[in-house]
Amino acid sequence: MYGIFRVANSWRVTLSRAGTRFMRSFAFSRYGGEAAALACAQAYRDEIVRNHLPPERSELAQNLRTTNKSGVSGVTFRFNAKGEIMSWHAITRVSADRLLTKSFGVGRYGAAQAECLAMAEREKQLEAMKGLRNVHPAEASVRATTQKAPNAAKATASRSKRKLPEPIPIVEILRKNNSSGIPGVSCVKGADELPRYWLAKTGGIDGRSIAEWFSVTTHGNEKARLLAIDARRAQLERKAQLRAEPSA
């Protein structure tokens, strides 16, 4: 569940990379239920993890701290009793249990040489710092799958994507207040709460929405409802035909 949170009736993915935030919601109603929406959220999260790597540890180690006085991350100096710099130090923690440190005395090397040697040693120590920033254990396992067998991983990811449900267009979701039982078909009432007409509406047809109205006064309530349902089915068939035409 790394990077995935439940918000009301949806799963939300939130990840940050180099100051960029990736966020997307997967509503239960649009993805075929809670479990299906979670599978889609996890697939999206894994895609972000694979395609947007965290920074190198050695890169992060070069960020200057506010307390740094040398101007070089990981390089410090010490004063003697007279307030003079007596030594320069290169310090790098390459892992949780390994700290590299080396000192260069001014008395032995001179002030300028000791400073330069400390900076050179720091660069050498950074070479021993390998790997990416450890954001979360789950990220490493996702990336490892892709790195070990890139072609197989891509094929597996492609197959997984085909199994995931496509999001249902918003106009095709059955609303709680829908009284027809058919997504895209609704009853429009007047101020007196009596039915005035039935509406069939479908989006994404030739880049626009199609709406057809059937008056209760003209057809009667039940017939107007059935006409709207038939119109909705015809709209969906037209939409399916248009989607199939480019690949034909």
Side-chain angles (χ1 to χ4, degrees):
M1 297 302 293
Y2 162 60
I4 301 177
F5 309 90
R6 178 167 180 161
V7 180
N9 294 318
S10 65
W11 296 105
R12 178 175 295 174
V13 178
T14 302
L15 292 174
S16 294
R17 284 292 184 276
T20 300
R21 172 167 290 188
F22 298 89
M23 186 168 65
R24 184 173 171 183
S25 295
F26 297 81
F28 303 161
S29 59
R30 293 200 66 194
Y31 289 87
E34 182 176 348
L38 177 58
C40 291
Q42 290 171 330
Y44 174 72
R45 185 268 319 274
D46 293 350
E47 181 181 354
I48 298 300
V49 168
R50 285 192 296 265
N51 297 336
H52 301 274
L53 300 179
E56 296 280 347
R57 293 180 60 242
S58 58
E59 178 184 341
L60 290 173
Q62 298 180 58
N63 294 334
L64 277 178
R65 296 184 178 181
T66 56
T67 56
N68 183 285
K69 297 179 180 180
S70 69
V72 178
S73 176
V75 175
T76 63
F77 49 80
R78 293 180 183 175
F79 296 100
N80 58 21
K82 297 180 180 180
E84 301 170 336
I85 296 178
M86 65 176 185
S87 60
W88 286 82
H89 305 263
I91 304 173
T92 304
R93 182 169 292 282
V94 295
S95 65
D97 56 356
R98 186 184 178 197
L99 177 67
L100 300 181
T101 178
K102 193 168 184 179
S103 302
F104 301 89
V106 171
R108 178 179 180 183
Y109 298 101
Q113 183 68 3
E115 180 181 359
C116 290
L117 287 172
M119 292 180 180
E121 174 62 22
R122 167 64 172 176
E123 292 294 327
K124 181 179 178 182
Q125 291 174 357
L126 286 174
E127 294 176 0
M129 183 178 284
K130 305 295 183 181
L132 303 173
R133 177 185 180 187
N134 185 19
V135 180
H136 191 278
E139 289 212 359
S141 62
V142 172
R143 292 195 301 270
T145 302
T146 305
Q147 292 168 353
K148 290 180 180 179
N151 294 332
K154 288 180 180 179
T156 301
S158 177
R159 288 194 295 271
S160 298
K161 281 187 176 181
R162 288 198 295 268
K163 294 178 182 178
L164 295 174
E166 290 292 331
I168 302 171
I170 294 177
V171 295
E172 296 182 17
I173 296 176
L174 186 63
R175 306 297 181 182
K176 291 182 179 180
N177 58 354
N178 185 294
S179 57
S180 69
I182 305 294
V185 176
S186 58
C187 178
V188 180
K189 299 180 179 179
D192 55 3
E193 290 299 314
L194 294 177
R196 289 291 182 266
Y197 50 84
W198 285 84
L199 168 66
K201 185 177 181 180
T202 302
I205 300 179
D206 285 336
R208 58 195 177 92
S209 294
I210 296 295
E212 298 178 67
W213 313 77
F214 300 91
S215 170
V216 172
T217 302
T218 303
H219 303 287
N221 184 61
E222 183 60 18
K223 186 175 181 181
R225 185 181 73 87
L226 295 176
L227 288 171
I229 292 174
D230 289 341
R232 167 66 171 176
R233 290 171 180 163
Q235 292 169 1
L236 290 176
E237 290 176 1
R238 175 58 179 160
K239 185 174 183 177
Q241 289 173 358
L242 291 174
R243 284 182 174 179
E245 285 177 3
S247 60

